[in-house]
Every structure is written in structure tokens, then in C-alpha cells.
Amino acid sequence: MKHLAVIVLIALAGTPALAQKKILDGNSLDDNCLYERQRESGVKLSNDEEFGKATFCIGYIRGVLDEIWMQQNVPDEGGEVPRSL
């Protein structure tokens, strides 16, 4: 879990300027995720920018999944928060 937190922090550290310039669409996300797919297949990424894009991909997708889970499992009106959080 600590490794995931570090990866997300690294991904977010290099992206504020990118996030302010344009809205992320599917093609842009796929461009970033290309580097993650390469990394997973054993290719060594050649620079920090590629590593940043790969970790951005992981963090972005994880954030979307976390939001979906929250929408489905956390009550809207002051109910109990599930213990699995």
C-alpha cells in the first residue's frame, strides 16, 4: 500500500500543468497508459517523463475506481461509513 501511495504522489507531482491545459480524454489517457503497458511487459522506461506518465495512468484509473466504489458504498445522507474503508 505504501508503494501505491508513493506512485500516486509521484504521478500527481508532475501533472498540475498538464491538468490545467486541457481536459483528459480517452486518447490522452491511452497515450499515458502506453508507458505503463511497456513497463509491465518488462521494457525499461528511458526517462523520468515516461515513468511519470506511467504512474499518472495508474493513479488516474485508481482514482476513478475509488470514486465509483465511494458512490456505490458510502451513503449520501449521514449514514454509517462502511468498515472496509
Side-chain angles (χ1 to χ4, degrees):
M1 187 65 175
K2 289 180 184 178
H3 295 298
L4 178 60
V6 170
I7 289 171
V8 171
L9 287 174
I10 291 170
L12 294 176
T15 58
L18 176 64
Q20 293 173 0
K21 289 182 183 178
K22 62 181 180 175
I23 295 172
L24 185 66
D25 63 7
N27 291 329
S28 299
L29 181 60
D30 186 52
D31 290 342
N32 287 312
C33 291
L34 166 71
Y35 297 106
E36 176 57 20
R37 291 190 300 270
Q38 289 177 350
R39 192 192 64 74
E40 284 182 351
S41 67
V43 174
K44 184 171 176 13
L45 300 179
S46 62
N47 59 44
D48 290 340
E49 181 178 353
E50 290 178 358
F51 182 75
K53 288 181 178 183
T55 54
F56 174 81
C57 171
I58 295 168
Y60 190 88
I61 291 172
R62 180 60 194 217
V64 169
L65 293 174
D66 285 347
E67 178 60 24
I68 291 169
W69 186 92
M70 293 289 287
Q71 292 293 324
Q72 293 176 348
N73 294 292
V74 175
D76 287 336
E77 297 184 23
E80 278 189 35
V81 175
R83 289 182 182 223
S84 61
L85 279 175

